[in-house]
Amino acid sequence: MASSSIPKTMRGILIEKTGGTEVLQYRTDLPVPEPKDGEILVKNEFIGINYIDTYYRTGLYPAPKPEILGREASGTVLSTGPGNTYSLSAGDRVVWMATGGYAEYTACPAAKAIKIPAAISSADACAAILQGLTAVTLVEEAHKVFSGDTILVHAAAGGVGLWLCQVLRAKGAKVIGTASTEAKREEAIQNGASVCCGYEKEEVLALVKKETNGEGVRAVFDGVGKTTWDLSLEAVARKGSVISFGNASGAVEPFAISRLSAKNVKIARPTFFGYIVTRDEFERYANELFKMMTEDKFNVKIHEVYPLQDVARAHNDLEGRKTTGKLLLKP
């Protein structure tokens, strides 16, 4: 698309202060950004919603305001800025991860955009890129998982949870999942969990004991946070790992580090973007994800595609645990 045919204004979601969903402003007069050095301008076709978006909206994670939320989208490159754009050019179908996604157009770093393979749809690529890569990097970097390991995944039917189940199954691990409803537990099992239960402490620990012959799990991947932290520490095996990667129930409260010594437990609180700082890291894990999606025929679970102006309803559904899989926006 020639630069002369790119509009000057666009539709998007702007927040000027932190708070509930009422701060999500649907606007039709936002300026279309211009790509700077090393950036590409993308016309977004699908926009991803992630739980981290609610953290920036509420102020749990600080960020300058006004702000356009959104950490990923898929679409078509319209133009490129000066500098290194990693061989991306106008007309390429790409998926990207950066900021400013809740809008028709985004100028994003070319270093964090990659061409979508022909065998993968734009919707699936958008649904996969952040949550799927989160799962891949967690099991490769936060705690290296091997075939035969037994792993506990909290919120196993959530966005990252379903990806963890599939990635772990592909690696030969046994997955114990937790989820809040019978329907979600069945969803987790269909996507790779061996067994699944609710969040009641006694129920989870009894299932872990049964599935591990009393040893505990090699690792816990915990995206829930506050309400599951103590349970995770109890469920993990000696010399195991507890990986806290989300705060769906609130942030983990301070605790005495000496609690870890009884079982020589390791803990980590990674951020996904810390694993893909370099272009090589991003390409390596993105290509591994795309390969799994095609060769292992991963199920890309899309809960709903919401119109852009319905973003408040999407946030309410996500925070109310009414969803399974990925939430997308359509501009």
Side-chain angles (χ1 to χ4, degrees), residues 150-180:
T150 301
I151 307 295
L152 175 61
V153 176
H154 288 308
V160 175
L162 288 175
W163 283 102
L164 277 168
C165 289
Q166 294 186 90
V167 171
L168 288 165
R169 177 176 59 185
K171 290 187 173 295
K174 178 195 288 186
V175 180
I176 301 172
T178 61
S180 58

Side-chain angles (χ1 to χ4, degrees), residues 189-254:
I189 289 172
Q190 290 174 1
N191 283 273
S194 299
V195 291
C196 204
C197 66
Y199 289 99
E200 291 297 325
K201 180 178 178 181
E202 291 76 13
E203 182 183 15
V204 177
L205 292 179
L207 187 57
V208 166
K209 182 178 181 180
K210 175 184 176 184
E211 296 294 325
T212 65
N213 294 319
E215 293 184 2
V217 294
R218 295 309 310 159
V220 183
F221 291 105
D222 188 344
V224 176
K226 182 178 179 179
T227 61
T228 52
W229 180 247
D230 287 338
L231 170 59
S232 296
L233 290 177
E234 290 195 44
V236 73
R238 182 179 67 87
K239 299 195 292 184
S241 303
V242 176
I243 311 302
S244 176
F245 66 92
N247 308 301
S249 66
V252 174
E253 295 179 345

Side-chain angles (χ1 to χ4, degrees), residues 114-302:
I114 193 166
K115 290 181 183 179
I116 303 170
I120 298 175
S121 71
S122 295
D124 283 357
C126 182
I129 193 67
L130 198 150
Q131 293 177 337
L133 278 184
T134 296
V136 170
T137 55
L138 284 173
V139 304
E140 287 291 334
E141 299 264 12
H143 175 91
K144 179 70 173 178
V145 174
F146 296 96
S147 179
D149 287 347
T150 301
I151 307 295
L152 175 61
V153 176
H154 288 308
V160 175
L162 288 175
W163 283 102
L164 277 168
C165 289
Q166 294 186 90
V167 171
L168 288 165
R169 177 176 59 185
K171 290 187 173 295
K174 178 195 288 186
V175 180
I176 301 172
T178 61
S180 58
T181 68
E182 187 59 41
K184 288 186 176 185
R185 292 190 280 273
E186 181 59 33
E187 188 81 33
I189 289 172
Q190 290 174 1
N191 283 273
S194 299
V195 291
C196 204
C197 66
Y199 289 99
E200 291 297 325
K201 180 178 178 181
E202 291 76 13
E203 182 183 15
V204 177
L205 292 179
L207 187 57
V208 166
K209 182 178 181 180
K210 175 184 176 184
E211 296 294 325
T212 65
N213 294 319
E215 293 184 2
V217 294
R218 295 309 310 159
V220 183
F221 291 105
D222 188 344
V224 176
K226 182 178 179 179
T227 61
T228 52
W229 180 247
D230 287 338
L231 170 59
S232 296
L233 290 177
E234 290 195 44
V236 73
R238 182 179 67 87
K239 299 195 292 184
S241 303
V242 176
I243 311 302
S244 176
F245 66 92
N247 308 301
S249 66
V252 174
E253 295 179 345
F255 68 98
I257 197 169
S258 58
R259 289 181 61 188
L260 306 178
S261 62
K263 294 189 288 186
N264 286 3
V265 172
K266 298 178 288 294
I267 61 171
R269 181 56 176 91
T271 58
F272 160 63
F273 284 94
Y275 290 134
I276 56 161
V277 172
T278 69
R279 178 68 182 183
D280 286 346
E281 288 172 332
F282 175 55
E283 286 188 350
R284 171 193 167 193
Y285 287 124
N287 288 327
E288 182 175 344
L289 174 64
F290 291 153
K291 182 180 179 181
M292 285 181 171
M293 289 174 66
T294 53
E295 293 186 1
D296 293 308
K297 301 189 185 305
F298 277 12
N299 173 35
V300 182
K301 173 67 174 179
I302 297 174

